Structure formats: structure tokens, C-alpha cells
Amino acid sequence: MRTALSFAVSAALVAGTALGLAPAAGAATTAESGGTTVRFVDIAGDGGTVLKANVVTPAGADGSARYPVIVLPTSWAMPQVEYLAQAQKLADSGYVVVSYNSRGFWQSGGEIETAGPKDVADASLVIDWALAHTPADPARVGMAGVSYGAGISLLTAAHDKRVRAVAALSGWADLIDSIYSGRTQHLQAAALLGGAGYLTGRPGPELREVLGDFLSSNLDKEDEMIAWGRERSAATYLDAINANRPAIMLGNAWGDTIFPPNQFASFYEKLSGPKRLEFRPGDHATAEATGLLGLPNDTWTSAHRWFDHHLKGVDNGIDRERPVRLKPRSDAGYEGYPDWKSVHANQRKFALTDSEHLWANVDSGANGGVVLLSNLLDQFFQAPPTASVPLLPRAFAAVWQSGRYDSAQRVRGTARLHTTVTPTAESGTFVAYLYDVGPLGIGKLVTHAPYTFHDRKPGQPFAVDLDLFSTAYDVPAGHRLALVVDTVDPLYIEHNPTGAQLTFSSPAADPSYVSVPLRAE
């Protein structure tokens, strides 16, 4: 009944916000649910910008006791009631929770800063407000969020020493490595974020310019775009985060098409404070979605346990568990590892011995799917994108296959492609796909990654090392792995001139291979 009430309140408020019926500026609205108190307030952010917020306090909070506080910045394009169901669960267990609409979205003021300095300043001012206007304990401050909220939380932990614990879910630590990995624009991801920003918020001039340069492949502005992204990446401030030593939990989905898991794993390995890393099947924010409706959810359960231990001192055993926790893309249960390196410590190579030549500009039929949709289907139905490997047109797709495996191959971690490429043009793009191929030749996508090059001398070979997106996938006995390379994928912007060709070779002095990480039995 409590969950139903939370959902009903959330739905009504979302509708009210969309219709312009949210509380007016300066007003405070109060409601009660099961003893907890929900207030809708305005908080002054950086430069006095009004941030629409809601505050949930525990039942019986009369100012005589202090409670740990959790601040929740909203996700990109989401209204301020996004976390209301989780906020009430947290309040039930003794937390003050303040959730606010990030600047530039919905009825909060200002323009979208994309986790820039003003967003970080806003988060610190929300903490100030919570300490001044709620029974929040200044020694027990936490932050959490999904996607955009996760990125802002990590950045704030670098700049505000009061943040002692973070749960960053479906977020980014390196914005460039997320949407520009392999020096390739992630077209669908950027278009989705840009479109949602224009529909629900007010992009500032800087964001409009960067997004335009990014989508138009303006290489003259590449250095500026990278610098803009680095300023908005927690990985840039790693030293400050390690000096502050907040307890950081990172959670993401294997198939996140907006913030792929590799960049989170790399960031996790460099953290020196208390830390936890969790990966599950799904796409961007789909692993956390049911929890936002108040339904049982593994990700949010872990986040609550994380805060209970690090903000309330509860001896719930989370500090004694293996800190890297993975759920494969199958019916198998969770696996624990002491660190990320241990996940892919057992590497097995298969050689790419044959030279392959292909023409660019044509989609061979191998692709990474559709943003959000394809990996959502994989999450719930174990139905990743597929391709008939024997029928892929060899003029437009390079194909290498391993032998059949006598036993199941449990792929865990990051597969790497090493090869030699000879282009006919100075710029180009290719996408590498790793497939699980069954007896009938149908390949199920295990992982993939794009790669773009510029300023290469035509006809001059060069070596490529490409990390594919990390995953956990079980290849059945009797199947084989296939590496497929082509030059067009709807997920990405490609840079192949008309008529361009690529040759993939395996020189004797530098053989080509795919290194596949397997779980140690």
C-alpha cells in the first residue's frame, strides 16, 4: 500500500509539473505518508537560481535528534519527483532525503550546464540548505543519483569534503570515454540526450555549441570538446576524490549505450577509499528503473546497504563482501571478485590469421542494435542483437571464427582486439563485434566497440588496439566465437569517405588476435 501511495503521489506530481501546476516559487507544500513528511520547497542554487526540490524526513523528527542526509540530483530530463519512492524508503529507515531538479530542467531555473561548475556549486548549496533547514547531521552526508544525478554526485564528492558516501548508478566517470570512445561519436546516445534536453529543459549556449560541433563532426573543435568533457568528468579530479576518501559505490549495466561500463571499471580501479562496483544486464538506467517505482530492486537494495554501513555504522556485512559484484547476462546468479583485474585475469586468445579486405560505407547487417531498446530486450529476454554470420556479405564485413568449444566459455570483463589496418583514405571508422555463433550460424552479440582514425597516410599500415565494451556472457558448449568488422553502425557517426577501403592483416612480426577474458573455474 505504501508503494502504491508513493507511485500515485509521484504520478500526480509529474503530471502537475508537466502542466505547470507545481508549487509556485517561494511556496512550500507539505504532505504526510505513513508518518514521514514530504515538503516541496525552493532552494537557492548558485547565483540565486531557484532549484525545485522535495524533502522527506523520518516520522517523529522533531529537531531533537540528527539524521544522516542523502542528496539526490535528478537524472537528465527527469522531474523532481523521480526519487520520491526511494526517498520515502530511506526516510522510513532514518534518513533525511533532499531531491532536487537539476538546473535548466523543468521548473528549476537557469540553463542546462551538463554537470559543469554551476551544477557542482548547486549540489553544495543544497547540502548547506539541508543542514540549515532539516535535522540533518553534517558529519553524515551522502549523495546518490541515476545517470546525470550520478555524475553530479561524483563530481561533488571531489569538490565538497562533507560528502562521505556516494551511490552513483548508471552514470559516468569519464564523459569523453563514454560518448566519444574510440574517437567515435556515439550518435544515438548524443541525439537522445540532446533531444531530451531541448524537450524538458533549456540548453545553454555552451551546450548548444558543443552538441552542434559534436554531431556535425567539427574536428577543428575536437580539442575544445574534449576539454569541455574532461571538466565534467570525475576521473579528472581523481586525486581530490582520493584525498577526501568518500565511500563510493558504482553501479551500471553491461549494455549501457550512453555510459558504457569500461569507463566506470577503470575509474573504480583507481579509487583508494572504500569502494564497490556492481554490473548487471540491461541498458542505460534500466537496472534501477523498477526501484524508482518503489518495487524490489537489487541495485537500490545495495545502495541502501551501502549508506546504512557508511553513514549509520550498521554492521550489515557489506564491507566484508567481495567488492566487485557481477550478474552475467543469463540466468546465473551474482559473482563476487576481489577487484576488477581479477575479473579478466584469465585471457584466451584466438588468432586472426587471414587477411581481410572490405569496402566502406555499407552496413553489412552486423550492428550494435538500438539505443536503450536492444539491451533492454537482452536484460529481460536474453535476446541480444543477432546476425547470420555465414550470410554476412564479405565485401563489406571481415569475419574470423574460432573453433567450436567443447565446454561453456564464460566471458567476463574486457575483450581486446589487436590488428593491423591499412586504409585507402586518411580518415575512417570501423566497428568490431564479437558474436556467440551457434550450430546454425546465428550469431548473438556478445560485445562490440567502434574505432575512428584521422590523419593516416593512405596505403600505410598501422597497429590498432581496441578494447571492446566489458560484459559477462556465457557461450554454450558446441558454439564458437566470431569477430566481425564492418564500417557502418546506426549507433555511431562514421568517417569513411565514399569509396574508401580497409584491409585487416596479420603481419608475422605482429600477429592479429582477439584476447577474450574467461572466468577462472
Side-chain angles (χ1 to χ4, degrees):
M1 185 158 175
R2 184 64 178 281
T3 299
L5 179 60
S6 298
F7 179 72
V9 172
S10 298
L13 287 165
V14 169
T17 304
L19 295 172
L21 302 178
T29 302
T30 303
E32 291 190 5
S33 174
T36 59
T37 300
V38 184
R39 288 190 293 149
F40 294 87
V41 301
D42 292 348
I43 298 176
D46 186 58
T49 297
V50 173
L51 305 174
K52 291 292 182 178
N54 59 70
V55 185
V56 187
T57 52
D62 57 6
S64 62
R66 291 285 179 180
Y67 300 88
V69 58
I70 296 177
V71 173
L72 301 164
T74 53
S75 303
W76 186 270
M78 292 296 288
Q80 59 159 307
V81 294
E82 174 187 11
Y83 303 113
L84 190 57
Q86 285 301 319
Q88 289 187 324
K89 287 178 180 289
L90 287 163
D92 282 345
S93 60
Y95 292 90
V96 172
V97 184
V98 182
S99 175
Y100 69 95
N101 229 125
S102 305
R103 69 166 50 227
F105 285 105
W106 294 86
Q107 289 194 322
S108 281
E111 297 176 322
I112 299 171
E113 292 288 320
T114 322
K118 291 182 180 180
D119 286 306
V120 176
D122 285 345
S124 287
L125 288 169
V126 170
I127 294 172
D128 290 345
W129 185 94
L131 297 179
H133 295 89
T134 75
D137 186 344
R140 296 185 290 169
V141 177
M143 289 191 69
V146 176
S147 185
Y148 194 46
I152 291 174
S153 295
L154 287 173
L155 286 162
T156 306
H159 292 86
D160 193 325
K161 295 180 180 180
R162 295 174 297 179
V163 179
R164 304 315 310 144
V166 174
L169 312 177
S170 288
W172 79 92
D174 188 327
L175 190 58
I176 298 302
D177 200 33
S178 294
I179 60 173
Y180 196 49
S181 68
R183 208 179 175 186
T184 307
Q185 296 102 318
H186 293 213
L187 172 62
Q188 290 186 18
L192 178 66
L193 292 172
Y198 276 97
L199 284 172
T200 62
R202 298 167 299 282
E206 189 177 32
L207 174 58
R208 292 196 298 269
E209 181 180 357
V210 168
L211 189 62
D213 289 336
F214 184 84
L215 293 175
S216 65
S217 303
N218 186 354
L219 291 177
D220 290 338
K221 294 293 187 70
E222 183 181 35
D223 290 343
E224 293 178 31
M225 288 187 287
I226 289 174
W228 180 86
R230 295 290 183 227
E231 185 182 24
R232 290 157 170 79
S233 298
T236 302
Y237 311 101
L238 184 68
D239 289 345
I241 291 175
N242 284 336
N244 293 344
R245 290 185 63 79
I248 294 180
M249 171 186 155
L250 304 172
N252 206 352
W254 294 119
D256 195 319
T257 44
I258 296 180
F259 303 128
N262 301 46
Q263 47 90 31
F264 247 14
S266 176
F267 178 70
Y268 170 85
E269 282 291 89
K270 298 170 186 174
L271 292 171
S272 62
K275 58 185 179 179
R276 185 175 177 91
L277 177 67
E278 300 188 353
F279 286 142
R280 298 176 175 85
D283 206 311
H284 184 64
T286 63
E288 301 85 21
T290 55
L292 295 176
L293 300 177
L295 301 174
N297 181 276
D298 288 355
T299 306
W300 284 105
T301 296
S302 288
H304 286 228
R305 293 180 66 223
W306 189 249
F307 287 129
D308 284 349
H309 180 73
H310 291 285
L311 294 182
K312 295 170 69 175
V314 176
D315 184 12
N316 55 18
I318 198 167
D319 58 319
R320 296 186 293 276
E321 296 171 359
R322 290 189 170 188
V324 176
R325 190 167 182 251
L326 313 180
K327 190 177 192 308
R329 293 160 49 197
S330 64
D331 292 329
Y334 285 94
E335 300 170 358
Y337 298 84
D339 50 40
W340 178 248
K341 294 189 296 292
S342 299
V343 175
H344 48 243
N346 181 28
Q347 296 279 337
R348 179 175 296 180
K349 295 180 180 179
F350 76 83
L352 311 179
T353 54
D354 298 330
S355 180
E356 295 280 352
H357 179 87
L358 58 94
W359 292 81
N361 310 118
V362 176
D363 190 343
S364 70
N367 65 69
V370 178
V371 66
L372 296 183
L373 177 61
S374 297
N375 291 307
L376 184 65
L377 293 174
D378 187 39
Q379 176 182 353
F380 289 106
F381 304 108
Q382 296 175 30
T386 61
S388 176
V389 174
L391 298 181
L392 291 174
R394 295 309 197 261
F396 309 115
V399 179
W400 299 266
Q401 296 193 73
S402 71
R404 295 189 186 278
Y405 296 109
D406 294 331
S407 60
Q409 304 295 294
R410 294 178 173 83
V411 179
R412 300 289 185 273
T414 310
R416 169 170 284 196
L417 166 64
H418 175 77
T419 190
T420 295
V421 180
T422 304
T424 61
E426 65 176 15
S427 293
T429 299
F430 67 84
V431 185
Y433 309 89
L434 189 65
Y435 283 101
D436 159 24
V437 183
L440 299 179
I442 301 301
K444 294 183 177 181
L445 187 63
V446 177
T447 181
H448 77 286
Y451 184 90
T452 294
F453 59 88
H454 297 289
D455 302 320
R456 291 290 179 177
K457 184 177 180 180
Q460 182 70 42
F462 62 94
V464 170
D465 286 296
L466 175 62
D467 285 345
L468 308 189
F469 298 139
S470 302
T471 193
Y473 182 98
D474 295 338
V475 179
H479 287 211
R480 66 178 79 216
L481 288 170
L483 182 81
V484 176
V485 176
D486 74 0
T487 62
V488 176
D489 190 306
L491 286 171
Y492 309 108
I493 292 177
E494 53 97 1
H495 294 263
N496 299 295
T498 301
Q501 303 168 52
L502 297 175
T503 299
F504 296 86
S505 59
S506 182
D510 187 19
S512 295
Y513 60 84
V514 175
S515 181
V516 181
L518 300 177
R519 193 182 83 179
E521 299 298 337

